Amino acid sequence: MNKPNRMAARPTALWSVLAAVAALSLAGCITVPVGGGEATATAGPTAPLTYVDRLKATPVAQPSDDAATTELPQFITESRNIACVFTTSRAGHLNQPWEPNNFNDSANAAAPIIPAVNCQMVSYPQVHAADVQDSCAGSNVGYLGGVATLLPEEAVYGGCRAGVTAVEAAFGARGTVNQLMGSIPALVPGAAMESQGYRCAPMDDGVACANLASGLGFFLAAEKYEIFGPGKPPATAAQSSPAPVSG
């Protein structure tokens, strides 16, 4: 009587095992036996870190808990394209040290003071229609990009103005750097600045700022911007690459 050919059956069994492993690989998770016949699962690709996650992981270089001083915490990127200041807002007016403002008007004296971050840019993306926040005195003209503000419950990109930003006026192609603007310290990638619960850091050729408690914030770069946080949809492809404006 003929005996079964065990050697011939082994290749078929081996191919069956390899086929099963390949199928599991395509599913993003492989289970392989390890010593003692136990199975260990290898996880598939993980989701990329959010801007808030990355900000929390970035060490603070110049921390400050008090923005109500004569020298507000501020920085500029090494490229001199984005500068940010940790400041306050009162009755809708920012205490912005780089340009004239109505923060200290007597009419606003009784209004509560709200912590804020304000960033300005030299080269910046245009504002998407869905992000326009002001009719500019009913004219619907002059709502421009290049400025972002973070408040406890709101992140806004753009604002009404007639000319360039203060940072553009100082560091743009036709700008003039005065003593005030020239004294803004540079913050290098890999370091963050923090004040009043907000944290900002240079990253991805731009700057990300967020309220670490709520996750609300923005990312700014010459080619794109994004408002992120609770209830905010992710930026679409069209929102990721609007035409930049440069002075």
Side-chain angles (χ1 to χ4, degrees), residues 89-119:
S89 174
R90 183 164 56 187
H93 299 283
L94 281 174
N95 181 17
Q96 176 48 272
W98 305 333
E99 55 192 4
N101 58 78
N102 301 107
F103 179 83
N104 289 318
D105 287 0
S106 57
N108 304 322
I113 294 178
I114 301 171
V117 177
N118 182 241
C119 296

Side-chain angles (χ1 to χ4, degrees), residues 186-202:
L187 189 63
V188 300
M193 185 175 283
E194 180 176 285
S195 182
Q196 306 175 117
Y198 300 126
R199 184 177 294 184
C200 296

Side-chain angles (χ1 to χ4, degrees), residues 15 25 55 88:
W15 282 112
S25 298
L55 282 168
T88 52

Side-chain angles (χ1 to χ4, degrees), residues 94-242:
L94 281 174
N95 181 17
Q96 176 48 272
W98 305 333
E99 55 192 4
N101 58 78
N102 301 107
F103 179 83
N104 289 318
D105 287 0
S106 57
N108 304 322
I113 294 178
I114 301 171
V117 177
N118 182 241
C119 296
Q120 297 190 13
M121 309 175 71
V122 174
S123 180
Y124 47 86
Q126 298 175 2
V127 183
H128 305 296
D131 293 330
V132 174
Q133 299 288 319
D134 198 312
S135 67
C136 300
S139 67
N140 293 308
V141 176
Y143 194 90
L144 305 175
V147 176
T149 303
L150 179 59
L151 299 165
E153 298 182 353
E154 185 179 31
V156 177
Y157 178 74
C160 296
R161 68 173 189 275
V164 299
T165 71
V167 175
E168 192 175 356
F171 300 100
R174 295 180 293 275
T176 302
V177 183
N178 56 34
Q179 183 176 359
L180 176 64
M181 302 303 288
S183 64
I184 300 175
L187 189 63
V188 300
M193 185 175 283
E194 180 176 285
S195 182
Q196 306 175 117
Y198 300 126
R199 184 177 294 184
C200 296
M203 60 177 64
D204 298 346
D205 296 323
V207 167
C209 293
N211 180 328
L212 296 184
S214 69
L216 180 65
F218 56 72
F219 171 78
L220 306 173
E223 301 292 335
K224 71 171 187 177
Y225 74 90
E226 180 179 350
I227 306 296
F228 56 83
K232 300 289 183 181
T236 65
Q239 290 177 324
S240 295
S241 56

